[in-house]
Every structure is written in structure tokens, then in C-alpha cells.
Amino acid sequence: MSTIGVVQDLTGFFLSVGMVGAGVAVLCALIALTALAQGAAGVTGGAVAVWIGGALLSLTSGFSGQWLPAIIAGGSLVAALALGGVARVVLRSLQLRVKAVPVEASEAAATVTTIAQPARQLSVRTVTPESIR
């Protein structure tokens, strides 16, 4: 096999490895986005750590002259971190809005039950030897 044939075979191999690496990086960026939106810092850190490996694999496509997988991998994490931060703010505001409504409803329910039921009178009972029989 000539040198040109070997180079063409390696180019195809490096391109496919770069595409797989970009796919792993995009998948990890999506996991980081959802974890960041939910406030799970450990999962976000783990997803970004695996993203680094995928991004390094996507750089191998550069040996075949194709830089698009590396650009996609890098852009996916930037977009995930930006959108995850925005999603976190939106989810927290929605959670606060939802929690505010039941508190008012539970206060109204507590007021209704307090008015409907009279308060119990507690008394102290003294135990004597004659009351035991």
C-alpha cells in the first residue's frame, strides 16, 4: 500500500473518531445543561469532566482537515453553560411562585379549622390512692 493510501485511510479513521468525540461532547453538554438547571453541581462537574474527553477526541478530526466537530464540541459546552444558567433562574422563579400559593391556601385552611373547632381545655388530674381503686 502506498503512502497516499495510508494517509487516506488514517484521514477517514481520524474523522470518524472526531465525530464520535463530538457526539460524546454534545451529549455531556446536554447533561450538564439539565444538571445545571436543576442545581446539581456534582453532576454538572462530572458531565463537564467527561465533556473534556469528548472534546479532545473531537480534535482528532483536525488531522484530516475537518475542524467542524471540534467547533461543535466547544460551542455545545458554551451554549449549555449559558442556557443552563438562564434555565436555573427561570426554574427557581417558577418554584418560588408555586410555593407562594399553597402557603396562602394553607393559612386560610388553618384559619377555617381554628374557627370551626373550639379550643380544647386542658386540666391537671391529680392521682390519689383512693382514685386508683
Side-chain angles (χ1 to χ4, degrees):
M1 186 173 218
S2 69
T3 307
I4 300 286
V6 172
V7 170
Q8 287 178 347
D9 288 343
L10 284 176
T11 299
F13 175 73
F14 284 138
L15 181 61
S16 62
V17 169
M19 293 297 244
V20 169
V24 168
V26 168
L27 182 65
C28 289
L30 289 174
I31 293 170
L33 185 144
T34 56
L36 188 63
Q38 294 176 355
V43 177
T44 303
V48 170
V50 176
W51 174 89
I52 292 170
L56 287 174
L57 282 175
S58 72
L59 289 173
T60 60
S61 64
F63 290 113
S64 64
Q66 300 292 324
W67 292 100
L68 190 61
I71 293 170
I72 289 172
S76 67
L77 186 66
V78 171
L81 293 178
L83 293 175
V86 170
R88 178 71 181 149
V89 170
V90 170
L91 285 176
R92 288 191 83 196
S93 67
L94 288 176
Q95 288 173 352
L96 291 176
R97 190 176 300 166
V98 169
K99 287 182 182 178
V101 173
V103 170
E104 296 169 359
S106 65
E107 288 176 1
T111 305
V112 170
T113 56
T114 305
I115 294 172
Q117 297 176 354
R120 291 186 178 183
Q121 297 287 331
L122 297 177
S123 61
V124 178
R125 180 176 173 208
T126 308
V127 179
T128 62
E130 292 132 6
S131 64
I132 296 176
R133 293 184 196 165

